[in-house]
Short mmCIF file of all heavy atoms in Angstrom, two decimals:
data_model
loop_
_atom_site.label_atom_id
_atom_site.label_comp_id
_atom_site.label_asym_id
_atom_site.label_seq_id
_atom_site.Cartn_x
_atom_site.Cartn_y
_atom_site.Cartn_z
N GLY A 1 -68.19 -46.50 26.40
CA GLY A 1 -68.00 -46.31 24.90
C GLY A 1 -69.09 -47.00 24.14
O GLY A 1 -69.36 -48.17 24.38
N GLY A 2 -69.72 -46.22 23.23
CA GLY A 2 -70.84 -46.84 22.47
C GLY A 2 -70.48 -46.94 20.99
O GLY A 2 -69.54 -46.36 20.58
N MET A 3 -71.30 -47.65 20.33
CA MET A 3 -71.27 -47.77 18.85
C MET A 3 -72.04 -46.69 18.14
O MET A 3 -73.14 -46.43 18.63
CB MET A 3 -71.74 -49.08 18.41
CG MET A 3 -70.98 -50.29 18.99
SD MET A 3 -69.51 -50.53 18.04
CE MET A 3 -68.67 -51.65 19.09
N HIS A 4 -71.61 -46.15 17.16
CA HIS A 4 -72.39 -45.22 16.30
C HIS A 4 -72.41 -45.71 14.95
O HIS A 4 -71.48 -46.28 14.36
CB HIS A 4 -71.74 -43.83 16.38
CG HIS A 4 -71.82 -43.27 17.74
ND1 HIS A 4 -72.99 -42.72 18.33
CD2 HIS A 4 -70.91 -43.17 18.69
CE1 HIS A 4 -72.71 -42.27 19.54
NE2 HIS A 4 -71.40 -42.58 19.77
N MET A 5 -73.64 -45.65 14.35
CA MET A 5 -73.78 -46.11 12.97
C MET A 5 -74.59 -45.15 12.16
O MET A 5 -75.46 -44.47 12.55
CB MET A 5 -74.70 -47.42 13.15
CG MET A 5 -74.97 -48.08 11.94
SD MET A 5 -75.81 -49.64 12.41
CE MET A 5 -74.46 -50.48 13.30
N GLN A 6 -74.09 -44.96 10.94
CA GLN A 6 -74.63 -44.02 9.92
C GLN A 6 -75.80 -44.90 9.37
O GLN A 6 -75.54 -45.97 8.72
CB GLN A 6 -73.63 -43.60 8.88
CG GLN A 6 -74.30 -42.79 7.77
CD GLN A 6 -74.45 -41.41 8.13
OE1 GLN A 6 -73.45 -40.78 8.58
NE2 GLN A 6 -75.61 -40.86 7.89
N VAL A 7 -77.10 -44.45 9.56
CA VAL A 7 -78.21 -45.11 8.91
C VAL A 7 -78.62 -44.63 7.65
O VAL A 7 -78.78 -45.36 6.71
CB VAL A 7 -79.40 -45.02 9.96
CG1 VAL A 7 -80.57 -45.73 9.40
CG2 VAL A 7 -79.01 -45.70 11.39
N GLY A 8 -78.61 -43.29 7.48
CA GLY A 8 -78.94 -42.75 6.21
C GLY A 8 -78.78 -41.17 6.29
O GLY A 8 -78.70 -40.61 7.28
N ILE A 9 -78.76 -40.70 5.03
CA ILE A 9 -78.65 -39.24 4.86
C ILE A 9 -79.94 -38.82 4.00
O ILE A 9 -80.06 -39.49 2.97
CB ILE A 9 -77.37 -38.80 4.24
CG1 ILE A 9 -76.24 -39.15 5.17
CG2 ILE A 9 -77.36 -37.29 3.85
CD1 ILE A 9 -74.82 -38.88 4.56
N PHE A 10 -80.60 -37.88 4.54
CA PHE A 10 -81.86 -37.48 3.87
C PHE A 10 -81.81 -36.01 3.47
O PHE A 10 -81.27 -35.20 4.26
CB PHE A 10 -83.03 -37.74 4.73
CG PHE A 10 -83.07 -39.24 5.25
CD1 PHE A 10 -82.45 -39.66 6.34
CD2 PHE A 10 -84.07 -40.00 4.49
CE1 PHE A 10 -82.49 -41.06 6.71
CE2 PHE A 10 -84.07 -41.40 4.86
CZ PHE A 10 -83.28 -41.88 6.02
N SER A 11 -82.47 -35.62 2.39
CA SER A 11 -82.51 -34.29 1.93
C SER A 11 -83.83 -33.65 2.50
O SER A 11 -83.96 -32.44 2.47
CB SER A 11 -82.53 -34.19 0.41
OG SER A 11 -83.62 -34.94 -0.04
N VAL A 12 -84.61 -34.42 3.20
CA VAL A 12 -85.85 -33.91 3.73
C VAL A 12 -85.84 -34.31 5.22
O VAL A 12 -85.81 -35.43 5.58
CB VAL A 12 -87.14 -34.50 3.04
CG1 VAL A 12 -88.47 -34.10 3.66
CG2 VAL A 12 -87.07 -34.23 1.53
N GLU A 13 -86.11 -33.31 6.03
CA GLU A 13 -86.00 -33.46 7.45
C GLU A 13 -87.10 -34.47 7.99
O GLU A 13 -86.76 -35.34 8.82
CB GLU A 13 -86.08 -32.21 8.28
CG GLU A 13 -85.92 -32.26 9.80
CD GLU A 13 -86.10 -30.99 10.46
OE1 GLU A 13 -86.49 -30.08 9.86
OE2 GLU A 13 -85.64 -31.02 11.71
N ALA A 14 -88.31 -34.39 7.48
CA ALA A 14 -89.37 -35.27 7.88
C ALA A 14 -89.04 -36.82 7.59
O ALA A 14 -89.42 -37.61 8.43
CB ALA A 14 -90.65 -35.02 7.14
N LYS A 15 -88.30 -37.06 6.59
CA LYS A 15 -87.94 -38.46 6.26
C LYS A 15 -86.90 -38.94 7.26
O LYS A 15 -86.89 -40.08 7.63
CB LYS A 15 -87.43 -38.52 4.78
CG LYS A 15 -88.52 -38.42 3.81
CD LYS A 15 -87.97 -38.67 2.34
CE LYS A 15 -89.09 -38.58 1.38
NZ LYS A 15 -88.58 -38.70 -0.03
N ALA A 16 -86.00 -38.06 7.56
CA ALA A 16 -84.96 -38.47 8.58
C ALA A 16 -85.61 -38.76 9.92
O ALA A 16 -85.33 -39.69 10.60
CB ALA A 16 -83.91 -37.30 8.78
N LYS A 17 -86.59 -37.89 10.35
CA LYS A 17 -87.37 -38.08 11.58
C LYS A 17 -88.13 -39.37 11.57
O LYS A 17 -88.14 -40.12 12.54
CB LYS A 17 -88.23 -36.92 11.85
CG LYS A 17 -87.43 -35.67 12.29
CD LYS A 17 -88.32 -34.55 12.76
CE LYS A 17 -87.42 -33.47 13.48
NZ LYS A 17 -88.16 -32.27 13.60
N ARG A 18 -88.70 -39.72 10.44
CA ARG A 18 -89.53 -40.94 10.33
C ARG A 18 -88.62 -42.15 10.46
O ARG A 18 -88.88 -43.11 11.14
CB ARG A 18 -90.22 -41.04 8.94
CG ARG A 18 -91.35 -42.03 8.91
CD ARG A 18 -92.17 -41.90 7.53
NE ARG A 18 -92.44 -40.61 7.27
CZ ARG A 18 -92.41 -39.95 6.05
NH1 ARG A 18 -91.99 -40.74 5.01
NH2 ARG A 18 -92.75 -38.74 5.82
N ALA A 19 -87.37 -42.09 9.86
CA ALA A 19 -86.43 -43.14 10.01
C ALA A 19 -86.04 -43.30 11.52
O ALA A 19 -85.89 -44.47 12.02
CB ALA A 19 -85.15 -42.89 9.21
N ALA A 20 -85.77 -42.17 12.17
CA ALA A 20 -85.37 -42.26 13.60
C ALA A 20 -86.51 -42.87 14.38
O ALA A 20 -86.24 -43.60 15.40
CB ALA A 20 -85.02 -40.84 14.08
N ASP A 21 -87.80 -42.53 14.11
CA ASP A 21 -88.91 -43.06 14.75
C ASP A 21 -88.97 -44.57 14.58
O ASP A 21 -89.31 -45.33 15.45
CB ASP A 21 -90.23 -42.42 14.32
CG ASP A 21 -90.34 -41.05 14.81
OD1 ASP A 21 -89.67 -40.60 15.78
OD2 ASP A 21 -91.23 -40.24 14.32
N THR A 22 -88.76 -45.04 13.31
CA THR A 22 -88.75 -46.42 13.07
C THR A 22 -87.76 -47.13 13.85
O THR A 22 -87.89 -48.22 14.39
CB THR A 22 -88.42 -46.63 11.50
OG1 THR A 22 -89.53 -45.90 10.74
CG2 THR A 22 -88.52 -48.13 11.14
N LEU A 23 -86.52 -46.61 13.94
CA LEU A 23 -85.52 -47.17 14.78
C LEU A 23 -85.85 -47.18 16.21
O LEU A 23 -85.63 -48.25 16.94
CB LEU A 23 -84.19 -46.47 14.57
CG LEU A 23 -83.54 -46.71 13.08
CD1 LEU A 23 -82.45 -45.53 12.88
CD2 LEU A 23 -82.91 -48.01 13.01
N SER A 24 -86.35 -46.23 16.74
CA SER A 24 -86.82 -46.14 18.06
C SER A 24 -87.82 -47.24 18.43
O SER A 24 -87.79 -47.89 19.41
CB SER A 24 -87.45 -44.82 18.51
OG SER A 24 -86.43 -43.72 18.26
N GLY A 25 -88.74 -47.52 17.47
CA GLY A 25 -89.67 -48.50 17.62
C GLY A 25 -89.03 -49.90 17.66
O GLY A 25 -89.62 -50.83 18.17
N ALA A 26 -87.89 -50.02 17.01
CA ALA A 26 -87.17 -51.30 16.98
C ALA A 26 -86.22 -51.39 18.15
O ALA A 26 -85.48 -52.34 18.21
CB ALA A 26 -86.41 -51.43 15.59
N GLY A 27 -86.30 -50.42 19.11
CA GLY A 27 -85.46 -50.39 20.24
C GLY A 27 -84.06 -49.98 20.04
O GLY A 27 -83.08 -50.33 20.79
N VAL A 28 -83.78 -49.15 19.04
CA VAL A 28 -82.53 -48.58 18.74
C VAL A 28 -82.61 -47.10 18.94
O VAL A 28 -83.36 -46.39 18.49
CB VAL A 28 -82.11 -48.82 17.23
CG1 VAL A 28 -80.74 -48.12 16.93
CG2 VAL A 28 -82.03 -50.35 16.97
N ALA A 29 -81.60 -46.59 19.73
CA ALA A 29 -81.51 -45.13 19.96
C ALA A 29 -80.97 -44.46 18.64
O ALA A 29 -79.96 -44.85 18.09
CB ALA A 29 -80.53 -44.81 21.14
N ALA A 30 -81.68 -43.51 18.18
CA ALA A 30 -81.32 -42.81 16.97
C ALA A 30 -81.51 -41.30 17.17
O ALA A 30 -82.35 -40.83 17.85
CB ALA A 30 -82.24 -43.27 15.84
N THR A 31 -80.51 -40.57 16.62
CA THR A 31 -80.53 -39.14 16.59
C THR A 31 -80.50 -38.61 15.15
O THR A 31 -79.83 -39.22 14.35
CB THR A 31 -79.37 -38.56 17.32
OG1 THR A 31 -78.19 -39.40 17.20
CG2 THR A 31 -79.66 -38.34 18.80
N VAL A 32 -81.08 -37.47 14.93
CA VAL A 32 -81.06 -36.78 13.61
C VAL A 32 -80.13 -35.66 13.82
O VAL A 32 -80.24 -34.83 14.69
CB VAL A 32 -82.49 -36.32 13.29
CG1 VAL A 32 -82.38 -35.42 11.94
CG2 VAL A 32 -83.40 -37.43 13.07
N ARG A 33 -79.16 -35.62 12.92
CA ARG A 33 -78.11 -34.43 12.91
C ARG A 33 -78.26 -33.66 11.59
O ARG A 33 -78.29 -34.25 10.45
CB ARG A 33 -76.73 -34.97 13.05
CG ARG A 33 -76.46 -35.61 14.37
CD ARG A 33 -74.96 -35.99 14.42
NE ARG A 33 -74.75 -36.82 15.63
CZ ARG A 33 -73.75 -37.63 15.84
NH1 ARG A 33 -72.84 -37.65 14.84
NH2 ARG A 33 -73.57 -38.32 16.92
N GLU A 34 -78.37 -32.37 11.75
CA GLU A 34 -78.42 -31.51 10.61
C GLU A 34 -77.08 -31.10 10.14
O GLU A 34 -76.18 -30.92 11.01
CB GLU A 34 -79.22 -30.22 10.99
CG GLU A 34 -79.67 -29.34 9.77
CD GLU A 34 -80.50 -28.22 10.20
OE1 GLU A 34 -81.07 -28.20 11.36
OE2 GLU A 34 -80.56 -27.23 9.34
N GLY A 35 -76.96 -31.00 8.92
CA GLY A 35 -75.54 -30.72 8.29
C GLY A 35 -75.81 -30.02 6.97
O GLY A 35 -76.96 -29.98 6.44
N SER A 36 -74.70 -29.65 6.37
CA SER A 36 -74.75 -29.14 5.00
C SER A 36 -73.49 -29.34 4.35
O SER A 36 -72.34 -29.57 4.87
CB SER A 36 -75.02 -27.64 5.03
OG SER A 36 -73.93 -26.90 5.61
N SER A 37 -73.63 -29.62 3.04
CA SER A 37 -72.46 -29.90 2.21
C SER A 37 -72.63 -29.16 0.88
O SER A 37 -73.66 -29.27 0.25
CB SER A 37 -72.44 -31.41 1.99
OG SER A 37 -71.35 -31.68 1.01
N GLN A 38 -71.64 -28.38 0.52
CA GLN A 38 -71.67 -27.60 -0.72
C GLN A 38 -72.96 -26.81 -0.78
O GLN A 38 -73.56 -26.68 -1.92
CB GLN A 38 -71.57 -28.53 -1.87
CG GLN A 38 -70.24 -29.24 -1.84
CD GLN A 38 -70.07 -30.42 -2.87
OE1 GLN A 38 -71.19 -30.86 -3.38
NE2 GLN A 38 -68.87 -30.80 -3.24
N GLY A 39 -73.33 -26.19 0.35
CA GLY A 39 -74.52 -25.27 0.34
C GLY A 39 -75.83 -26.01 0.40
O GLY A 39 -76.89 -25.27 0.40
N LYS A 40 -75.92 -27.30 0.44
CA LYS A 40 -77.14 -27.98 0.47
C LYS A 40 -77.33 -28.62 1.91
O LYS A 40 -76.37 -29.24 2.47
CB LYS A 40 -77.16 -29.20 -0.48
CG LYS A 40 -77.24 -28.63 -1.92
CD LYS A 40 -77.42 -29.87 -2.80
CE LYS A 40 -77.67 -29.34 -4.32
NZ LYS A 40 -77.53 -30.44 -5.24
N GLU A 41 -78.49 -28.41 2.43
CA GLU A 41 -78.73 -29.04 3.72
C GLU A 41 -79.13 -30.43 3.64
O GLU A 41 -79.72 -30.81 2.70
CB GLU A 41 -79.95 -28.25 4.38
CG GLU A 41 -79.70 -27.00 5.01
CD GLU A 41 -80.90 -26.49 5.85
OE1 GLU A 41 -82.02 -26.29 5.17
OE2 GLU A 41 -80.75 -26.27 7.02
N PHE A 42 -78.68 -31.23 4.69
CA PHE A 42 -79.12 -32.63 4.76
C PHE A 42 -79.29 -32.89 6.24
O PHE A 42 -78.89 -32.24 7.09
CB PHE A 42 -78.05 -33.54 4.04
CG PHE A 42 -76.73 -33.56 4.75
CD1 PHE A 42 -76.41 -34.43 5.80
CD2 PHE A 42 -75.75 -32.64 4.32
CE1 PHE A 42 -75.20 -34.45 6.44
CE2 PHE A 42 -74.54 -32.62 4.96
CZ PHE A 42 -74.26 -33.50 6.02
N TRP A 43 -79.99 -34.09 6.49
CA TRP A 43 -80.14 -34.61 7.79
C TRP A 43 -79.72 -36.08 7.86
O TRP A 43 -80.09 -36.87 7.01
CB TRP A 43 -81.58 -34.59 8.22
CG TRP A 43 -82.09 -33.11 8.43
CD1 TRP A 43 -82.14 -32.52 9.59
CD2 TRP A 43 -82.56 -32.24 7.43
NE1 TRP A 43 -82.58 -31.17 9.41
CE2 TRP A 43 -82.80 -30.99 8.04
CE3 TRP A 43 -82.71 -32.24 5.99
CZ2 TRP A 43 -83.26 -29.87 7.39
CZ3 TRP A 43 -83.15 -31.12 5.38
CH2 TRP A 43 -83.40 -29.98 6.00
N SER A 44 -78.77 -36.34 8.72
CA SER A 44 -78.26 -37.68 8.85
C SER A 44 -78.84 -38.31 10.07
O SER A 44 -79.08 -37.67 11.03
CB SER A 44 -76.68 -37.77 8.88
OG SER A 44 -76.20 -36.91 9.91
N VAL A 45 -79.16 -39.63 9.99
CA VAL A 45 -79.65 -40.34 11.09
C VAL A 45 -78.51 -41.25 11.56
O VAL A 45 -78.00 -42.11 10.88
CB VAL A 45 -80.85 -41.20 10.56
CG1 VAL A 45 -81.44 -42.06 11.83
CG2 VAL A 45 -82.02 -40.20 10.11
N ILE A 46 -78.27 -41.17 12.90
CA ILE A 46 -77.20 -41.85 13.51
C ILE A 46 -77.86 -42.75 14.67
O ILE A 46 -78.53 -42.30 15.46
CB ILE A 46 -76.13 -40.87 14.19
CG1 ILE A 46 -75.65 -39.85 13.32
CG2 ILE A 46 -75.01 -41.69 14.82
CD1 ILE A 46 -74.87 -40.31 12.11
N ALA A 47 -77.65 -44.04 14.55
CA ALA A 47 -78.06 -44.98 15.54
C ALA A 47 -76.87 -45.20 16.53
O ALA A 47 -75.72 -45.19 16.17
CB ALA A 47 -78.48 -46.28 14.91
N SER A 48 -77.22 -45.31 17.81
CA SER A 48 -76.14 -45.63 18.69
C SER A 48 -76.53 -46.72 19.78
O SER A 48 -77.73 -46.92 19.91
CB SER A 48 -75.80 -44.34 19.56
OG SER A 48 -76.86 -43.77 20.05
N GLY A 49 -75.68 -47.29 20.19
CA GLY A 49 -75.92 -48.49 21.10
C GLY A 49 -74.61 -48.89 21.87
O GLY A 49 -73.49 -48.48 21.44
N SER A 50 -74.77 -49.73 22.80
CA SER A 50 -73.56 -50.22 23.53
C SER A 50 -73.44 -51.71 23.16
O SER A 50 -74.35 -52.31 22.68
CB SER A 50 -73.72 -50.00 25.06
OG SER A 50 -75.06 -50.69 25.44
N GLY A 51 -72.31 -52.22 23.50
CA GLY A 51 -71.99 -53.67 23.32
C GLY A 51 -71.56 -53.96 21.93
O GLY A 51 -70.86 -53.07 21.28
N GLU A 52 -71.96 -55.07 21.31
CA GLU A 52 -71.42 -55.51 20.11
C GLU A 52 -71.98 -54.73 18.93
O GLU A 52 -73.16 -54.57 18.84
CB GLU A 52 -71.74 -57.00 19.86
CG GLU A 52 -70.93 -57.96 20.61
CD GLU A 52 -69.40 -57.88 20.15
OE1 GLU A 52 -69.20 -57.95 18.96
OE2 GLU A 52 -68.58 -57.64 21.05
N GLY A 53 -71.13 -54.26 18.07
CA GLY A 53 -71.50 -53.53 16.88
C GLY A 53 -72.34 -54.41 15.87
O GLY A 53 -73.33 -53.85 15.31
N SER A 54 -72.04 -55.65 15.90
CA SER A 54 -72.76 -56.53 14.95
C SER A 54 -74.26 -56.72 15.42
O SER A 54 -75.11 -56.78 14.50
CB SER A 54 -72.19 -57.92 14.87
OG SER A 54 -71.99 -58.44 16.20
N ALA A 55 -74.43 -56.69 16.74
CA ALA A 55 -75.78 -56.74 17.21
C ALA A 55 -76.61 -55.51 16.81
O ALA A 55 -77.74 -55.62 16.36
CB ALA A 55 -75.80 -57.05 18.73
N LEU A 56 -76.03 -54.44 16.98
CA LEU A 56 -76.64 -53.09 16.65
C LEU A 56 -76.93 -53.11 15.09
O LEU A 56 -77.97 -52.75 14.65
CB LEU A 56 -75.81 -51.95 17.03
CG LEU A 56 -76.30 -50.51 16.72
CD1 LEU A 56 -77.66 -50.24 17.40
CD2 LEU A 56 -75.26 -49.50 17.01
N LEU A 57 -75.96 -53.56 14.34
CA LEU A 57 -76.14 -53.60 12.92
C LEU A 57 -77.33 -54.49 12.51
O LEU A 57 -78.08 -54.08 11.64
CB LEU A 57 -74.79 -53.96 12.24
CG LEU A 57 -74.69 -53.88 10.72
CD1 LEU A 57 -74.87 -52.41 10.35
CD2 LEU A 57 -73.35 -54.38 10.24
N GLN A 58 -77.40 -55.60 13.13
CA GLN A 58 -78.48 -56.56 12.75
C GLN A 58 -79.87 -55.85 13.17
O GLN A 58 -80.74 -56.03 12.41
CB GLN A 58 -78.39 -57.86 13.67
CG GLN A 58 -77.57 -58.85 13.01
CD GLN A 58 -77.52 -60.19 13.74
OE1 GLN A 58 -77.49 -60.15 14.99
NE2 GLN A 58 -77.52 -61.32 13.03
N LYS A 59 -79.92 -55.20 14.33
CA LYS A 59 -81.27 -54.53 14.66
C LYS A 59 -81.58 -53.42 13.64
O LYS A 59 -82.72 -53.31 13.19
CB LYS A 59 -81.07 -53.80 15.97
CG LYS A 59 -81.56 -54.59 17.14
CD LYS A 59 -81.59 -53.66 18.46
CE LYS A 59 -81.70 -54.49 19.69
NZ LYS A 59 -81.66 -53.61 20.90
N VAL A 60 -80.56 -52.68 13.26
CA VAL A 60 -80.80 -51.54 12.31
C VAL A 60 -81.18 -52.13 10.92
O VAL A 60 -82.19 -51.67 10.34
CB VAL A 60 -79.55 -50.61 12.22
CG1 VAL A 60 -79.65 -49.74 11.06
CG2 VAL A 60 -79.37 -49.89 13.51
N LYS A 61 -80.42 -53.11 10.46
CA LYS A 61 -80.77 -53.80 9.11
C LYS A 61 -82.12 -54.39 9.22
O LYS A 61 -82.92 -54.43 8.33
CB LYS A 61 -79.69 -54.79 8.72
CG LYS A 61 -78.41 -53.94 8.38
CD LYS A 61 -77.43 -54.81 7.63
CE LYS A 61 -76.27 -53.86 7.15
NZ LYS A 61 -75.60 -54.38 6.07
N GLY A 62 -82.49 -55.00 10.38
CA GLY A 62 -83.81 -55.69 10.58
C GLY A 62 -84.87 -54.64 10.56
O GLY A 62 -85.98 -54.97 10.20
N ALA A 63 -84.63 -53.39 10.88
CA ALA A 63 -85.63 -52.36 10.86
C ALA A 63 -85.84 -51.77 9.44
O ALA A 63 -86.59 -50.99 9.18
CB ALA A 63 -85.27 -51.28 11.86
N GLY A 64 -85.00 -52.38 8.48
CA GLY A 64 -85.22 -52.05 7.04
C GLY A 64 -84.15 -51.02 6.51
O GLY A 64 -84.31 -50.52 5.41
N PHE A 65 -83.07 -50.92 7.23
CA PHE A 65 -82.05 -49.91 6.79
C PHE A 65 -80.73 -50.72 6.41
O PHE A 65 -79.81 -50.85 7.09
CB PHE A 65 -81.66 -48.90 7.85
CG PHE A 65 -82.92 -48.17 8.27
CD1 PHE A 65 -83.63 -48.43 9.36
CD2 PHE A 65 -83.30 -47.00 7.48
CE1 PHE A 65 -84.78 -47.69 9.72
CE2 PHE A 65 -84.40 -46.26 7.90
CZ PHE A 65 -85.16 -46.64 8.91
N GLY A 66 -80.85 -51.30 5.15
CA GLY A 66 -79.84 -52.20 4.74
C GLY A 66 -78.45 -51.55 4.35
O GLY A 66 -77.48 -52.21 4.28
N ASP A 67 -78.54 -50.19 4.21
CA ASP A 67 -77.26 -49.54 3.89
C ASP A 67 -76.48 -48.94 5.04
O ASP A 67 -75.50 -48.28 4.85
CB ASP A 67 -77.63 -48.32 2.94
CG ASP A 67 -78.20 -48.78 1.63
OD1 ASP A 67 -77.88 -49.93 1.18
OD2 ASP A 67 -78.95 -48.02 1.04
N ALA A 68 -76.97 -49.27 6.19
CA ALA A 68 -76.34 -48.79 7.46
C ALA A 68 -74.87 -49.25 7.61
O ALA A 68 -74.61 -50.38 7.22
CB ALA A 68 -77.16 -49.09 8.69
N TYR A 69 -73.98 -48.49 8.11
CA TYR A 69 -72.65 -48.99 8.36
C TYR A 69 -72.18 -48.33 9.69
O TYR A 69 -72.55 -47.18 10.05
CB TYR A 69 -71.74 -48.66 7.22
CG TYR A 69 -71.66 -47.16 6.86
CD1 TYR A 69 -70.71 -46.40 7.46
CD2 TYR A 69 -72.51 -46.54 5.97
CE1 TYR A 69 -70.56 -44.99 7.21
CE2 TYR A 69 -72.41 -45.28 5.69
CZ TYR A 69 -71.49 -44.48 6.25
OH TYR A 69 -71.34 -43.19 5.93
N LEU A 70 -71.27 -49.08 10.35
CA LEU A 70 -70.58 -48.60 11.53
C LEU A 70 -69.65 -47.44 11.17
O LEU A 70 -68.96 -47.46 10.25
CB LEU A 70 -69.82 -49.64 12.28
CG LEU A 70 -70.61 -50.66 13.06
CD1 LEU A 70 -69.75 -51.83 13.46
CD2 LEU A 70 -71.29 -50.08 14.27
N LEU A 71 -69.71 -46.36 12.12
CA LEU A 71 -68.88 -45.22 11.95
C LEU A 71 -67.56 -45.63 12.76
O LEU A 71 -67.65 -46.10 13.89
CB LEU A 71 -69.46 -43.97 12.46
CG LEU A 71 -70.74 -43.51 11.75
CD1 LEU A 71 -71.35 -42.38 12.46
CD2 LEU A 71 -70.29 -43.01 10.31
N SER A 72 -66.42 -45.29 12.21
CA SER A 72 -65.25 -45.55 12.97
C SER A 72 -65.14 -44.45 14.05
O SER A 72 -65.64 -43.33 13.92
CB SER A 72 -63.97 -45.54 12.14
OG SER A 72 -64.02 -44.26 11.34
N ARG A 73 -64.42 -44.78 15.13
CA ARG A 73 -64.31 -43.84 16.19
C ARG A 73 -63.45 -42.65 15.88
O ARG A 73 -62.54 -42.74 15.16
CB ARG A 73 -63.64 -44.56 17.40
CG ARG A 73 -64.62 -45.56 17.99
CD ARG A 73 -63.80 -46.39 19.03
NE ARG A 73 -64.71 -47.47 19.45
CZ ARG A 73 -65.61 -47.38 20.39
NH1 ARG A 73 -65.79 -46.20 21.01
NH2 ARG A 73 -66.40 -48.45 20.75
#
């Protein structure tokens, strides 16, 4: 069982990919998920990791994503 964290939601795919690359560089596994809400496309960046959620949160916030939060299971 791993932790999943919402890092950000972007209206531009390139920005989401840049965020995911930044996280990868910080040693955090990140995926970009495409979605849509009320007819508008968006891309969310989800970080995942194992172990303590607080450690993952520190890594993500350390990479510059202060609004990140853990997703409940």
Side-chain angles (χ1 to χ4, degrees):
M3 298 280 167
H4 295 283
M5 184 171 294
Q6 175 82 52
V7 177
I9 293 177
F10 301 87
S11 56
V12 179
E13 186 178 13
K15 288 185 179 177
K17 287 188 168 164
R18 200 172 312 137
D21 287 346
T22 300
L23 288 164
S24 296
V28 177
T31 34
V32 176
R33 292 186 190 160
E34 192 176 341
S36 65
S37 174
Q38 298 169 340
K40 289 186 178 167
E41 277 189 307
F42 65 86
W43 289 266
S44 57
V45 178
I46 309 291
S48 53
S50 53
E52 283 296 310
S54 55
L56 178 63
L57 191 59
Q58 274 186 319
K59 265 191 193 175
V60 170
K61 291 196 176 204
F65 300 97
D67 296 334
Y69 59 91
L70 282 170
L71 294 170
S72 54
R73 290 172 187 276

